[in-house]
Amino acid sequence: MNISIINGPNLNLLGKREPNIYGSVTFDEYLISLKKEFSDIKFDYFQSNIEGKIIDRIQEVGFSSDYILLNAAAYTHTSVAIGDAIKSIIAPVIEIHISNTFSREDFRHKSYITPAAKGLIVGFGIDSYRLGVLSLLNK
Ligand code: DQA
């Protein structure tokens, strides 16, 4: 199985960024542990702070990967274009959020990703990604 992980803006700062909300582990460190735990799965990882680059990546992997785990970060709440990109590809998308967006500000309650996603995992800290992988194995 191939899983593409795509992270949006400011997630390159995981480990440093608001650690009380997002934790103190960097994504690179976390990815090593994911790859170790799920050694049969082929992971590729992409992060960008730029909306168009995220769309380009969704289009690039969206016809060849088995699944995409997407944390579009703040673009979740604003990007019609990322929502449209998800509707345009074949690979099912699991929407991931580290924090519980529903217990935060009202503007984080809206998602342009959810209506186009296969499922949503929110609020389990960085482990939301791991739970996303597990949801695909338990089918
Ligand atoms: C986030 C939640 C978003 O509201 C926020 O803008 C992020 C990260 C999360 O993983 O909890 O950057 O997607």
Side-chain angles (χ1 to χ4, degrees), residues 86-107:
I86 296 169
K87 291 178 189 150
S88 307
I89 58 166
I90 290 171
V93 170
I94 313 295
E95 177 181 356
I96 303 287
H97 297 289
I98 296 167
S99 64
N100 179 355
T101 48
F102 297 100
S103 67
R104 300 178 66 194
E105 303 93 323
D106 285 354
F107 67 84

Side-chain angles (χ1 to χ4, degrees), residues 11-16 23-31 126:
L11 293 173
N12 54 314
L13 294 182
L14 279 179
K16 284 188 205 151
S24 50
V25 176
T26 69
F27 201 78
D28 285 345
E29 285 163 359
Y30 186 68
L31 190 56
I126 192 116

